[in-house]
Amino acid sequence: MTAVTATTADTFRPALHYAARNTWLNDPNGLIHHAGVYHLYYQNNPLDNVWGNMSWGHATSTDLLAWTEHPVAIACDEFEDIFSGSIVFDRDNTSGFGTGTAAPLVAVYTSAYKAASAHHGIQAQSLAYSLDGGYTWTKHTGNPVLNRESAEFRDPKVFRYDGDAGSYWVMVAVEAKDFEVVLYKSFDLKDWELLSCFGPANATGGVWECPDLFPLAVDGDPENLKWVLTVNLNPGGPNGGSAGQYFVGDFDGTTFTSATTVTDGLQDPDRLGDYHWLDWGRDYYAAVSFSDVPDDRRLMIAWMNNWAYANEIPTSPWRSPMSLVREVSLQSVGGSWRLVQQAAGELAPHAEQTPSFSVAAIDVSDGRHVLDGAAGSVQRIELTATPGTAEEFGLIVRGQGAEGTRIGIRPTESRLVVDRRESGQTEFHGSFASIDTAPIRTADGSYELTVYVDRCSVEVFAQGGQITMTELIFPAPTNTEVSLYAIGGTATVDNLSVTQYA
């Protein structure tokens, strides 16, 4: 592993993103809003800052920005590691785990059985329950509750279905190496019946993991609901390594039917850019949504890292942050549907906020132009620009001299670009220094970007959140310049504002 200086914890610890105090984390698990509190559980190694000893860590928040870390919620033992899963509020005590005064929270997780277990080598689904609002947990004595005798059956996301087919719990899980989502139903969370399977379809360049299934109103119309199935995969992302994809269609209580499948079966390598990606960046994985969010809002969060280099990023004693929490909606675009994502909670732009820096109607010539007064290491930058003759134009953040992270538009190629080759520390892994791209098209002749910059990341929301790119960066703490740039011509920045957070 990479040697890290003692100052690294302060250098890269994010201000806007959750990271564990002094340990490793990966996939978000058990996401739920309960009794006015958002609960974030996650894959955690409580003994080290690299992957291993998988247990469920735990943090809570009331505003999706400030998180309080709690003791390990569900710990591994000599028989099992605690892999990914979800939590439901069993308000009617269908499981029987509740008492006369307390309905239980029930965690459905993957038991990855070790050599000491009679199920050694198997991944199966198990239960734990909490009667104190999610702070202490008891494992069910009848575990596992669903065993397919498979070594790659994992990541259950459970939700309550109420529809024409009835009222029951639905589990969405994966047979990871078969590129298959499997759906089950249960009336008590203990006995499960197979409903259907989905896949392979679209991207299959790596194992399928961490699925989710939920309804969304198209263009905000509650009379026009579609179902969204998200599936993460590793590797096989559009820019390499880990990523997540989604399908839009219908769910009748038994079967999910996709209306956005590009290729059935194994993927066509030439169609990778045609699939529906949750995020086009290198560092947005295992994205899943919160249960029971008020007002039927759909909030998602992901692990902000990539399995290609996850154990080697230069942070210590903690390693790996989470992404921002995002509110997702479904819009009709060009005769199909697209997930649109925006930062949620306290980070969402508010009309009453006054930017610390703003400019308008700037013609950007060939070269790099530092914006005096815009410097910062934790900020939101909002940009609207009109292309001119430039081959590429945009922003450089966390810069100093020749260094910085370039976020740009290539109009003739219709591409959004994030270039982190000079973003700071990149040498810890051969695949980290990268130029990553995503498709982008003008809206009424212009481009709109909202960029959240933190001490170790950039999250780019383009064209109102129709396209997102999430990337880790590790710049020197003194690299705080914000610049505009153009290559091979000119462009016009119609409006630019910077809001400082720290």
Side-chain angles (χ1 to χ4, degrees):
M1 299 305 165
T2 304
V4 185
T5 67
T7 61
T8 301
D10 295 330
T11 300
F12 297 132
R13 177 172 290 280
L16 306 180
H17 299 76
Y18 177 73
R21 184 182 306 109
N22 58 5
T23 57
W24 162 276
L25 65 76
N26 56 287
D27 306 359
N29 299 155
L31 307 176
I32 192 167
H33 182 268
H34 184 69
V37 175
Y38 292 96
H39 290 263
L40 166 64
Y41 300 85
Y42 49 88
Q43 293 286 275
N44 177 232
N45 181 351
L47 305 179
D48 205 345
N49 69 351
V50 293
W51 188 90
N53 308 302
M54 283 293 98
S55 304
W56 275 25
H58 184 205
T60 57
S61 176
T62 57
D63 63 4
L64 301 174
L65 179 58
W67 294 92
T68 300
E69 184 172 348
H70 299 283
V72 169
I74 308 176
C76 66
D77 57 27
E78 67 271 28
F79 299 106
E80 64 176 357
D81 280 325
I82 312 299
F83 278 15
S84 292
S86 54
I87 288 173
V88 296
F89 177 43
D90 186 13
R91 53 176 50 85
D92 296 322
N93 195 26
T94 64
S95 63
F97 292 138
T99 66
T101 58
L105 290 173
V106 181
V108 189
Y109 67 88
T110 297
S111 293
Y113 286 108
K114 300 177 180 179
S117 169
H119 302 293
H120 177 227
I122 296 298
Q123 294 181 359
Q125 311 323 314
S126 294
L127 305 178
Y129 61 93
S130 174
L131 299 177
D132 64 357
Y135 296 93
T136 60
W137 293 85
T138 301
K139 292 180 181 179
H140 174 41
T141 55
N143 285 337
V145 296
L146 180 54
N147 183 3
R148 291 166 58 103
E149 299 296 332
S150 168
E152 302 287 345
F153 172 44
R154 57 181 175 267
D155 306 343
K157 179 63 186 289
V158 176
F159 63 93
R160 188 73 183 176
Y161 174 80
D162 289 291
D164 294 340
S167 179
Y168 43 83
W169 301 105
V170 172
M171 177 194 296
V172 188
V174 292
E175 283 287 356
K177 290 188 176 180
D178 294 336
F179 317 111
E180 188 174 63
V181 174
V182 291
L183 289 84
Y184 284 81
K185 81 171 184 179
S186 175
F187 295 100
D188 62 2
L189 295 168
K190 297 175 180 176
D191 296 310
W192 293 90
E193 172 189 341
L194 181 66
L195 289 172
S196 61
C197 301
F198 174 82
N202 287 5
T204 59
V207 296
W208 280 17
E209 294 186 316
C210 301
D212 201 349
L213 180 63
F214 49 84
L216 284 177
V218 179
D219 299 325
D221 179 4
E223 301 301 315
N224 184 11
L225 288 180
K226 304 300 290 185
W227 284 78
V228 178
L229 173 66
T230 64
V231 186
N232 294 267
L233 73 157
N234 173 59
N239 283 292
S242 317
Q245 63 180 324
Y246 67 94
F247 302 84
V248 182
D250 295 297
F251 177 62
D252 62 4
T254 299
T255 304
F256 172 77
T257 305
S258 170
T260 60
T261 296
V262 177
T263 53
D264 284 307
L266 299 184
Q267 73 181 35
D268 179 349
D270 295 329
R271 305 295 302 275
L272 198 65
D274 297 332
Y275 302 145
H276 289 67
W277 297 102
L278 284 171
D279 191 286
W280 289 77
R282 298 282 296 279
D283 297 302
Y284 191 82
Y285 190 63
V288 285
S289 68
F290 284 82
S291 299
D292 298 343
V293 176
D295 303 320
D296 292 326
R297 298 167 67 211
R298 185 60 54 175
L299 303 179
M300 300 188 77
I301 192 171
W303 178 50
M304 198 159 61
N305 210 334
N306 190 309
W307 280 117
Y309 43 73
N311 284 286
E312 299 174 55
I313 64 171
T315 64
S316 180
W318 61 279
R319 188 176 269 121
S320 293
M322 292 294 180
S323 74
L324 296 178
V325 177
R326 301 178 181 182
E327 181 163 4
V328 299
S329 59
L330 195 62
Q331 293 183 5
S332 50
V333 178
S336 186
W337 303 276
R338 178 169 291 172
L339 272 186
V340 174
Q341 305 175 63
Q342 300 285 356
E346 293 300 308
L347 289 182
H350 302 296
E352 63 271 17
Q353 286 182 339
T354 301
S356 57
F357 176 88
S358 62
V359 293
I362 296 178
D363 291 326
V364 184
S365 59
D366 202 359
R368 179 171 178 162
H369 313 279
V370 176
L371 296 173
D372 293 332
S377 58
V378 184
Q379 53 191 189
R380 181 179 71 237
I381 303 173
E382 297 169 276
L383 169 76
T384 303
T386 303
T389 60
E391 300 170 9
E392 180 180 322
F393 66 92
L395 290 164
I396 299 172
V397 301
R398 296 304 308 269
Q400 183 73 37
E403 292 189 349
T405 300
R406 185 163 54 95
I407 303 165
I409 307 290
R410 295 175 180 170
T412 59
E413 299 178 19
S414 299
R415 304 301 290 180
L416 173 65
V417 179
V418 177
D419 181 350
R420 60 181 184 184
R421 292 174 300 171
E422 302 296 335
S423 63
Q425 293 188 39
T426 63
E427 70 287 343
F428 56 87
H429 192 275
S431 71
F432 185 81
S434 62
I435 304 178
D436 302 320
T437 72
I440 189 172
R441 298 194 180 278
T442 60
D444 299 323
S446 66
Y447 297 96
E448 180 268 321
L449 303 178
T450 299
V451 182
Y452 290 87
V453 182
D454 207 343
R455 296 185 183 118
C456 67
S457 64
V458 293
E459 286 184 72
V460 182
F461 298 77
Q463 304 304 67
Q466 290 187 12
I467 298 293
T468 63
M469 294 187 74
T470 301
E471 306 269 354
L472 290 174
I473 57 172
F474 300 102
T478 53
N479 289 13
T480 60
E481 288 179 349
V482 177
S483 303
L484 296 173
Y485 77 95
I487 298 173
T490 63
T492 300
V493 171
D494 303 304
N495 290 283
L496 181 145
S497 65
V498 179
T499 302
Q500 304 286 358
Y501 291 111

